[in-house]
Amino acid sequence: MLLPALNKAREKARAISCASNMKQMCLAVTMYLNDNNGNMIMRSSTAEFQPPSWPSTSSYTITWFNRLKYSGYANNIGEARCPSLPTTKNVKDDESTGAQQCFGMPRLASEWTGYYGTSGSTSATGMEMNMNTIVFKNSKMFMIDAYASAALCQIFQWSLTGTTANMAVFAHGDRANVGWSDGHVESMTPTAVEEEIQDNGGGDSFNLNYYDASFAAK
């Protein structure tokens, strides 16, 4: 009788820790935006977007967390993770990896044009997304618990369109913590996230693209 109650209490504690971590990352992103003309590049594999401390090469996949870290806005990637989601030993946490294990942020600019009101793309691949503060006059979702089915781990990207990777994951009692552009973090159900996207011009793709607490594809 005590075991289910204990597990429930542990998960509640993990959900609170997750929300606290996300709140810190939302603050770091806000500071970065304020110091960089409202622009945040989510992912890049091109040399011109690399932090100056890195070697001059295009072999790196630069995540949003790496951008914050190498710009002095964040330190420990452990503070950018959901403690309820698994990590894997064979995936690096930093440098040249496409599966850095941290909260998910929008991936392809083209997927999010309707919701954010701008393509934001700065490259032919669409992997760089400029999030100008004008877009955020009305608060928008931009960070979520996310999971990569291929790597079996948390993932720094959040895809909107129907795919089997880079998915929002609802591991806190079928709820996910969601970070908003005004800095607050909200616990939301899949339906609430879907409605937020659909009601604000984001289309109908999200209902094909999320994982539940057991990580079974919906």
Side-chain angles (χ1 to χ4, degrees), residues 111 147 149 158-170 190-191 193-195 197-198 202-212 215-218:
E111 295 176 358
Y147 192 78
S149 57
W158 176 17
S159 293
L160 175 61
T161 58
T163 178
T164 58
N166 309 326
M167 305 175 89
V169 60
F170 296 78
T191 299
V193 173
E194 179 182 31
E195 289 178 350
I197 293 171
Q198 292 180 346
D204 298 327
S205 296
F206 176 76
N207 59 357
L208 303 177
N209 184 40
Y210 72 87
Y211 272 62
D212 65 15
F215 311 122
K218 288 286 188 180

Side-chain angles (χ1 to χ4, degrees), residues 109-129:
S110 58
E111 295 176 358
W112 292 90
T113 300
Y115 182 66
Y116 289 117
T118 177
S119 66
S121 179
T122 62
S123 77
T125 63
M127 290 184 179
E128 291 78 58
M129 189 170 183

Side-chain angles (χ1 to χ4, degrees), residues 1-8:
M1 293 177 64
L2 293 177
L3 186 58
L6 180 60
N7 289 337
K8 185 176 181 179

Side-chain angles (χ1 to χ4, degrees), residues 60-184:
Y60 293 111
T61 296
I62 303 175
T63 68
W64 66 265
F65 180 82
N66 282 350
R67 190 165 302 283
L68 294 180
K69 175 182 175 181
Y70 285 94
S71 301
Y73 297 89
N75 296 307
N76 183 0
I77 195 171
E79 298 174 351
R81 285 187 180 140
C82 172
S84 292
L85 298 182
T87 58
T88 54
K89 294 181 180 179
N90 62 333
V91 177
K92 292 182 178 180
D93 285 340
D94 211 346
E95 309 299 335
S96 55
T97 172
Q100 188 177 52
Q101 300 177 72
C102 56
F103 297 124
M105 293 184 72
R107 180 173 180 261
L108 294 179
S110 58
E111 295 176 358
W112 292 90
T113 300
Y115 182 66
Y116 289 117
T118 177
S119 66
S121 179
T122 62
S123 77
T125 63
M127 290 184 179
E128 291 78 58
M129 189 170 183
N130 288 345
M131 311 268 289
N132 193 279
T133 52
I134 295 175
V135 175
F136 287 160
K137 283 185 176 180
N138 295 317
S139 189
K140 300 282 188 176
M141 302 183 301
F142 77 105
M143 188 178 293
I144 200 167
D145 298 328
Y147 192 78
S149 57
L152 301 178
C153 68
Q154 299 184 52
I155 188 67
F156 71 95
Q157 301 178 110
W158 176 17
S159 293
L160 175 61
T161 58
T163 178
T164 58
N166 309 326
M167 305 175 89
V169 60
F170 296 78
H172 305 301
D174 203 31
R175 304 179 77 92
N177 286 318
V178 180
W180 292 68
S181 57
D182 64 2
H184 84 278

